[in-house]
Amino acid sequence: MRTTRTVPAAAALVAAAALALTGCGTDDGRGGKAADKPASVEKQEKGGTVLDQPFDKPDLTLTDTHGEKYDFIEETKGHPTLLYFGYTNCPDVCPLTMSNIAVAKSKLSKEKQKKLRVVFVTTDPKRDTPKELGKWLRGQDPSFIGLTGDFDSIQAGARSLGVSVEPSYKKKNGDIVSTHGAQVLAFSPKDDKAHVLYTEGNTDPKILDKELPKIIKGENP
């Protein structure tokens, strides 16, 4: 049976850091080979973790896929919002997570789809230009919002939510390694705070199918 847990935010930070850190490595081409230990993705029956101390939205003003400035707080105000930090060259967890969200979103009513904001913030801004982000996200869902910009700002915004993001680096063999948290933060339209946290194992479409309608209403699943 699926259960939804309620935990203190501090405990959630520790758990998320331990469970959701994903080390991904690719060569410079799209869909390159994975790192020595690619992230495992195991389907779970449990739903998102409900936080007893919700997170405020990060103060992020970045660049969207049209090259325009995007103020995350202002642009998503009053909208149910899913926020994920990742990068387009990720070989496994990032595309799977975004695909899962896209599948679940497609099953919502048109009205609910219009309300929902799905925001993908790159952790690899040197390679993820607005053009590259736009191309990649169109393959997931054209309505998804992609943001890029200064790495330090992105890292600070992620850390304010307990999401670990580290600079990419190149190994001697040429592989590029990027380490980032795989959490999805769900923000309520009622108070613009993140009340629910998902890790890589519990973003299965079947779980999101059940929980997204409640999140869109501003309710905890």
PDB file of all heavy atoms in Angstrom, residues 3-8 12 15 46-52 194-199 202 211 221:
ATOM      1  N   THR A   3       2.028   4.889   0.932  1.00  0.00           N
ATOM      2  CA  THR A   3       1.850   5.761   2.080  1.00  0.00           C
ATOM      3  C   THR A   3       2.531   7.086   1.821  1.00  0.00           C
ATOM      4  O   THR A   3       3.504   7.166   1.080  1.00  0.00           O
ATOM      5  CB  THR A   3       2.448   5.137   3.358  1.00  0.00           C
ATOM      6  OG1 THR A   3       3.848   4.892   3.140  1.00  0.00           O
ATOM      7  CG2 THR A   3       1.754   3.841   3.707  1.00  0.00           C
ATOM      8  N   THR A   4       2.013   8.136   2.404  1.00  0.00           N
ATOM      9  CA  THR A   4       2.623   9.457   2.321  1.00  0.00           C
ATOM     10  C   THR A   4       3.123   9.841   3.695  1.00  0.00           C
ATOM     11  O   THR A   4       2.360   9.861   4.650  1.00  0.00           O
ATOM     12  CB  THR A   4       1.603  10.507   1.827  1.00  0.00           C
ATOM     13  OG1 THR A   4       1.127  10.106   0.547  1.00  0.00           O
ATOM     14  CG2 THR A   4       2.252  11.874   1.719  1.00  0.00           C
ATOM     15  N   ARG A   5       4.415  10.133   3.773  1.00  0.00           N
ATOM     16  CA  ARG A   5       5.017  10.410   5.061  1.00  0.00           C
ATOM     17  C   ARG A   5       5.070  11.910   5.344  1.00  0.00           C
ATOM     18  O   ARG A   5       5.244  12.705   4.443  1.00  0.00           O
ATOM     19  CB  ARG A   5       6.444   9.856   5.114  1.00  0.00           C
ATOM     20  CG  ARG A   5       6.524   8.350   4.951  1.00  0.00           C
ATOM     21  CD  ARG A   5       7.964   7.913   4.839  1.00  0.00           C
ATOM     22  NE  ARG A   5       8.567   8.480   3.635  1.00  0.00           N
ATOM     23  CZ  ARG A   5       9.888   8.590   3.458  1.00  0.00           C
ATOM     24  NH1 ARG A   5      10.712   8.231   4.411  1.00  0.00           N
ATOM     25  NH2 ARG A   5      10.366   9.088   2.337  1.00  0.00           N
ATOM     26  N   THR A   6       4.962  12.250   6.612  1.00  0.00           N
ATOM     27  CA  THR A   6       5.164  13.625   7.042  1.00  0.00           C
ATOM     28  C   THR A   6       6.405  13.651   7.919  1.00  0.00           C
ATOM     29  O   THR A   6       6.480  12.943   8.920  1.00  0.00           O
ATOM     30  CB  THR A   6       3.966  14.142   7.852  1.00  0.00           C
ATOM     31  OG1 THR A   6       2.799  14.054   7.037  1.00  0.00           O
ATOM     32  CG2 THR A   6       4.176  15.585   8.283  1.00  0.00           C
ATOM     33  N   VAL A   7       7.402  14.450   7.514  1.00  0.00           N
ATOM     34  CA  VAL A   7       8.652  14.474   8.263  1.00  0.00           C
ATOM     35  C   VAL A   7       9.105  15.911   8.449  1.00  0.00           C
ATOM     36  O   VAL A   7       8.740  16.805   7.690  1.00  0.00           O
ATOM     37  CB  VAL A   7       9.759  13.689   7.524  1.00  0.00           C
ATOM     38  CG1 VAL A   7       9.371  12.239   7.357  1.00  0.00           C
ATOM     39  CG2 VAL A   7      10.077  14.310   6.177  1.00  0.00           C
ATOM     40  N   PRO A   8       9.952  16.176   9.477  1.00  0.00           N
ATOM     41  CA  PRO A   8      10.505  17.507   9.655  1.00  0.00           C
ATOM     42  C   PRO A   8      11.373  17.878   8.468  1.00  0.00           C
ATOM     43  O   PRO A   8      12.003  17.019   7.848  1.00  0.00           O
ATOM     44  CB  PRO A   8      11.346  17.362  10.934  1.00  0.00           C
ATOM     45  CG  PRO A   8      10.779  16.183  11.644  1.00  0.00           C
ATOM     46  CD  PRO A   8      10.327  15.257  10.558  1.00  0.00           C
ATOM     47  N   ALA A  12      14.231  15.802   6.261  1.00  0.00           N
ATOM     48  CA  ALA A  12      14.066  15.634   4.822  1.00  0.00           C
ATOM     49  C   ALA A  12      15.334  16.035   4.080  1.00  0.00           C
ATOM     50  O   ALA A  12      15.716  15.422   3.087  1.00  0.00           O
ATOM     51  CB  ALA A  12      12.892  16.463   4.319  1.00  0.00           C
ATOM     52  N   ALA A  15      17.826  13.189   4.464  1.00  0.00           N
ATOM     53  CA  ALA A  15      17.415  12.042   3.663  1.00  0.00           C
ATOM     54  C   ALA A  15      17.590  12.317   2.178  1.00  0.00           C
ATOM     55  O   ALA A  15      18.056  11.460   1.420  1.00  0.00           O
ATOM     56  CB  ALA A  15      15.959  11.698   3.959  1.00  0.00           C
ATOM     57  N   LYS A  46       5.569   4.140  -2.580  1.00  0.00           N
ATOM     58  CA  LYS A  46       5.249   5.258  -1.697  1.00  0.00           C
ATOM     59  C   LYS A  46       5.163   6.564  -2.479  1.00  0.00           C
ATOM     60  O   LYS A  46       5.766   6.722  -3.536  1.00  0.00           O
ATOM     61  CB  LYS A  46       6.301   5.381  -0.607  1.00  0.00           C
ATOM     62  CG  LYS A  46       7.687   5.737  -1.103  1.00  0.00           C
ATOM     63  CD  LYS A  46       8.684   5.764   0.037  1.00  0.00           C
ATOM     64  CE  LYS A  46      10.086   6.111  -0.470  1.00  0.00           C
ATOM     65  NZ  LYS A  46      11.080   6.082   0.617  1.00  0.00           N
ATOM     66  N   GLY A  47       4.395   7.484  -1.934  1.00  0.00           N
ATOM     67  CA  GLY A  47       4.234   8.765  -2.588  1.00  0.00           C
ATOM     68  C   GLY A  47       5.239   9.783  -2.090  1.00  0.00           C
ATOM     69  O   GLY A  47       6.252   9.449  -1.479  1.00  0.00           O
ATOM     70  N   GLY A  48       4.956  11.060  -2.365  1.00  0.00           N
ATOM     71  CA  GLY A  48       5.859  12.114  -1.950  1.00  0.00           C
ATOM     72  C   GLY A  48       5.893  12.282  -0.438  1.00  0.00           C
ATOM     73  O   GLY A  48       4.985  11.867   0.274  1.00  0.00           O
ATOM     74  N   THR A  49       6.973  12.898   0.035  1.00  0.00           N
ATOM     75  CA  THR A  49       7.133  13.175   1.449  1.00  0.00           C
ATOM     76  C   THR A  49       6.539  14.541   1.773  1.00  0.00           C
ATOM     77  O   THR A  49       6.936  15.549   1.177  1.00  0.00           O
ATOM     78  CB  THR A  49       8.623  13.163   1.841  1.00  0.00           C
ATOM     79  OG1 THR A  49       9.160  11.860   1.602  1.00  0.00           O
ATOM     80  CG2 THR A  49       8.801  13.515   3.306  1.00  0.00           C
ATOM     81  N   VAL A  50       5.588  14.583   2.681  1.00  0.00           N
ATOM     82  CA  VAL A  50       4.976  15.851   3.098  1.00  0.00           C
ATOM     83  C   VAL A  50       5.820  16.457   4.211  1.00  0.00           C
ATOM     84  O   VAL A  50       6.095  15.809   5.228  1.00  0.00           O
ATOM     85  CB  VAL A  50       3.528  15.635   3.583  1.00  0.00           C
ATOM     86  CG1 VAL A  50       2.928  16.954   4.075  1.00  0.00           C
ATOM     87  CG2 VAL A  50       2.672  15.063   2.466  1.00  0.00           C
ATOM     88  N   LEU A  51       6.254  17.694   4.018  1.00  0.00           N
ATOM     89  CA  LEU A  51       7.128  18.372   4.968  1.00  0.00           C
ATOM     90  C   LEU A  51       6.310  19.119   6.020  1.00  0.00           C
ATOM     91  O   LEU A  51       5.353  19.809   5.690  1.00  0.00           O
ATOM     92  CB  LEU A  51       8.038  19.360   4.234  1.00  0.00           C
ATOM     93  CG  LEU A  51       8.873  18.782   3.077  1.00  0.00           C
ATOM     94  CD1 LEU A  51       9.593  19.900   2.349  1.00  0.00           C
ATOM     95  CD2 LEU A  51       9.865  17.751   3.595  1.00  0.00           C
ATOM     96  N   ASP A  52       6.710  19.002   7.276  1.00  0.00           N
ATOM     97  CA  ASP A  52       5.991  19.755   8.305  1.00  0.00           C
ATOM     98  C   ASP A  52       6.418  21.218   8.326  1.00  0.00           C
ATOM     99  O   ASP A  52       5.715  22.080   8.846  1.00  0.00           O
ATOM    100  CB  ASP A  52       6.179  19.106   9.692  1.00  0.00           C
ATOM    101  CG  ASP A  52       7.599  19.204  10.211  1.00  0.00           C
ATOM    102  OD1 ASP A  52       8.509  19.490   9.404  1.00  0.00           O
ATOM    103  OD2 ASP A  52       7.802  18.993  11.423  1.00  0.00           O
ATOM    104  N   ALA A 194       6.789  24.980  -0.839  1.00  0.00           N
ATOM    105  CA  ALA A 194       6.930  23.560  -1.176  1.00  0.00           C
ATOM    106  C   ALA A 194       6.541  22.724   0.033  1.00  0.00           C
ATOM    107  O   ALA A 194       7.218  22.736   1.055  1.00  0.00           O
ATOM    108  CB  ALA A 194       8.359  23.252  -1.594  1.00  0.00           C
ATOM    109  N   HIS A 195       5.438  22.004  -0.106  1.00  0.00           N
ATOM    110  CA  HIS A 195       4.954  21.149   0.977  1.00  0.00           C
ATOM    111  C   HIS A 195       5.278  19.679   0.739  1.00  0.00           C
ATOM    112  O   HIS A 195       5.184  18.877   1.660  1.00  0.00           O
ATOM    113  CB  HIS A 195       3.439  21.299   1.126  1.00  0.00           C
ATOM    114  CG  HIS A 195       3.012  22.623   1.657  1.00  0.00           C
ATOM    115  ND1 HIS A 195       2.766  22.850   2.995  1.00  0.00           N
ATOM    116  CD2 HIS A 195       2.787  23.812   1.026  1.00  0.00           C
ATOM    117  CE1 HIS A 195       2.408  24.110   3.166  1.00  0.00           C
ATOM    118  NE2 HIS A 195       2.412  24.720   1.991  1.00  0.00           N
ATOM    119  N   VAL A 196       5.623  19.331  -0.502  1.00  0.00           N
ATOM    120  CA  VAL A 196       5.842  17.925  -0.848  1.00  0.00           C
ATOM    121  C   VAL A 196       7.169  17.772  -1.586  1.00  0.00           C
ATOM    122  O   VAL A 196       7.508  18.590  -2.453  1.00  0.00           O
ATOM    123  CB  VAL A 196       4.695  17.378  -1.725  1.00  0.00           C
ATOM    124  CG1 VAL A 196       4.881  15.876  -1.976  1.00  0.00           C
ATOM    125  CG2 VAL A 196       3.345  17.636  -1.078  1.00  0.00           C
ATOM    126  N   LEU A 197       7.910  16.738  -1.232  1.00  0.00           N
ATOM    127  CA  LEU A 197       9.205  16.454  -1.835  1.00  0.00           C
ATOM    128  C   LEU A 197       9.188  15.036  -2.408  1.00  0.00           C
ATOM    129  O   LEU A 197       8.782  14.088  -1.743  1.00  0.00           O
ATOM    130  CB  LEU A 197      10.311  16.600  -0.788  1.00  0.00           C
ATOM    131  CG  LEU A 197      11.750  16.316  -1.208  1.00  0.00           C
ATOM    132  CD1 LEU A 197      12.695  17.197  -0.397  1.00  0.00           C
ATOM    133  CD2 LEU A 197      12.130  14.849  -1.006  1.00  0.00           C
ATOM    134  N   TYR A 198       9.639  14.921  -3.658  1.00  0.00           N
ATOM    135  CA  TYR A 198       9.763  13.624  -4.307  1.00  0.00           C
ATOM    136  C   TYR A 198      11.240  13.338  -4.580  1.00  0.00           C
ATOM    137  O   TYR A 198      11.987  14.249  -4.958  1.00  0.00           O
ATOM    138  CB  TYR A 198       9.013  13.592  -5.642  1.00  0.00           C
ATOM    139  CG  TYR A 198       7.522  13.730  -5.511  1.00  0.00           C
ATOM    140  CD1 TYR A 198       6.910  14.989  -5.557  1.00  0.00           C
ATOM    141  CD2 TYR A 198       6.707  12.610  -5.338  1.00  0.00           C
ATOM    142  CE1 TYR A 198       5.534  15.125  -5.435  1.00  0.00           C
ATOM    143  CE2 TYR A 198       5.326  12.734  -5.212  1.00  0.00           C
ATOM    144  CZ  TYR A 198       4.755  13.988  -5.260  1.00  0.00           C
ATOM    145  OH  TYR A 198       3.391  14.117  -5.131  1.00  0.00           O
ATOM    146  N   THR A 199      11.652  12.099  -4.399  1.00  0.00           N
ATOM    147  CA  THR A 199      12.988  11.695  -4.800  1.00  0.00           C
ATOM    148  C   THR A 199      12.865  10.808  -6.034  1.00  0.00           C
ATOM    149  O   THR A 199      11.759  10.505  -6.492  1.00  0.00           O
ATOM    150  CB  THR A 199      13.709  10.953  -3.659  1.00  0.00           C
ATOM    151  OG1 THR A 199      12.885   9.879  -3.191  1.00  0.00           O
ATOM    152  CG2 THR A 199      13.997  11.907  -2.503  1.00  0.00           C
ATOM    153  N   ASN A 202      10.252   7.835  -6.399  1.00  0.00           N
ATOM    154  CA  ASN A 202       8.794   7.948  -6.262  1.00  0.00           C
ATOM    155  C   ASN A 202       8.179   9.005  -7.164  1.00  0.00           C
ATOM    156  O   ASN A 202       7.222   9.662  -6.798  1.00  0.00           O
ATOM    157  CB  ASN A 202       8.389   8.164  -4.794  1.00  0.00           C
ATOM    158  CG  ASN A 202       9.037   9.384  -4.169  1.00  0.00           C
ATOM    159  OD1 ASN A 202       9.590  10.225  -4.875  1.00  0.00           O
ATOM    160  ND2 ASN A 202       8.977   9.474  -2.860  1.00  0.00           N
ATOM    161  N   GLU A 211      -1.403  11.940  -7.096  1.00  0.00           N
ATOM    162  CA  GLU A 211      -1.060  13.042  -6.203  1.00  0.00           C
ATOM    163  C   GLU A 211      -1.114  14.424  -6.839  1.00  0.00           C
ATOM    164  O   GLU A 211      -1.377  15.420  -6.148  1.00  0.00           O
ATOM    165  CB  GLU A 211       0.313  12.776  -5.587  1.00  0.00           C
ATOM    166  CG  GLU A 211       0.331  11.473  -4.800  1.00  0.00           C
ATOM    167  CD  GLU A 211       1.516  11.328  -3.883  1.00  0.00           C
ATOM    168  OE1 GLU A 211       2.435  12.172  -3.940  1.00  0.00           O
ATOM    169  OE2 GLU A 211       1.528  10.386  -3.092  1.00  0.00           O
ATOM    170  N   PRO A 221      -0.974  15.451  -0.631  1.00  0.00           N
ATOM    171  CA  PRO A 221      -1.434  14.111  -1.033  1.00  0.00           C
ATOM    172  C   PRO A 221      -1.479  13.139   0.157  1.00  0.00           C
ATOM    173  O   PRO A 221      -0.844  13.360   1.170  1.00  0.00           O
ATOM    174  CB  PRO A 221      -0.397  13.681  -2.063  1.00  0.00           C
ATOM    175  CG  PRO A 221       0.834  14.440  -1.696  1.00  0.00           C
ATOM    176  CD  PRO A 221       0.343  15.771  -1.174  1.00  0.00           C
TER     177      PRO A 221
END
